[in-house]
Amino acid sequence: MGGYRFTVPMADAFPHGLYAMGVQQAMDYDQKTGRQTPSKDKQTGELVWTVTCIDRDPEAREKEVKIKVTAPHTPMLPEEVLPGSGLRAVEFTGLVVTPYIQEGRGNGRARMALSFRATAVHPQGKAPGTAAPTTGRGSRQASSEGDKAA
């Protein structure tokens, strides 16, 4: 499975920036054996890690965004913006988006959703070859829960 991955600049996908809250290894579940194994990217074979973020766009439909990062080891998050807050200002490089149809949640209506993947996570403004995210540019209109598209 998996759909087409469109490259998207961080500033276009998240013009107000993101706060990362945590990282965990993504797991695949085998229904036949009942076992869980570490997820691997279907295109690169690299391990997959899920970075749970908060979209800083005040008009975002969904505040929580999960971005899957392909890397051989756990991505390191920067220091918290305010000690004890759990929030870390981040940006991603190699960001791609896969649109997919998400079945209705109790209302029976399907809608377009987005799955995000990246190759690395960096402190905001520290990603190689990129500038800090700016505000006021386009805004995402679809969900970004992204766990169905792999």
Side-chain angles (χ1 to χ4, degrees):
M1 187 177 225
Y4 187 79
R5 296 177 183 182
F6 297 93
T7 301
V8 62
M10 175 76 185
D12 288 346
F14 303 101
H16 295 271
L18 293 172
Y19 286 129
M21 298 184 301
V23 178
Q24 64 183 33
Q25 188 169 30
M27 302 296 283
D28 287 332
Y29 178 74
D30 184 329
Q31 290 182 340
K32 290 181 182 178
T33 65
R35 289 187 160 156
Q36 288 190 336
T37 57
S39 291
K40 291 191 177 182
D41 184 82
K42 290 173 178 64
Q43 292 181 3
T44 67
E46 293 262 12
L47 290 173
V48 178
W49 309 88
T50 302
V51 181
T52 301
C53 300
I54 294 176
D55 189 342
R56 294 166 50 189
D57 182 347
E59 296 180 21
R61 288 184 186 177
E62 301 274 340
K63 292 304 258 182
E64 184 175 293
V65 180
K66 293 186 179 187
I67 299 180
K68 294 185 177 181
V69 176
T70 54
H73 49 78
T74 308
M76 298 301 296
L77 297 178
E79 296 293 319
E80 294 176 336
V81 293
L82 180 64
S85 69
L87 302 176
R88 296 158 168 85
V90 296
E91 62 186 82
F92 292 86
T93 53
L95 190 64
V96 296
V97 61
T98 302
Y100 67 96
I101 301 299
Q102 183 177 47
E103 298 302 320
R105 296 184 193 166
N107 62 8
R109 295 186 344 211
R111 65 185 181 132
M112 186 181 83
L114 303 172
S115 172
F116 291 97
R117 285 189 178 256
T119 55
V121 59
H122 305 276
Q124 181 178 320
K126 305 283 185 182
T130 63
T134 59
T135 58
R137 293 178 64 188
S139 179
R140 287 181 301 113
Q141 297 298 315
S143 167
S144 58
E145 291 187 8
D147 286 301
K148 289 189 179 182

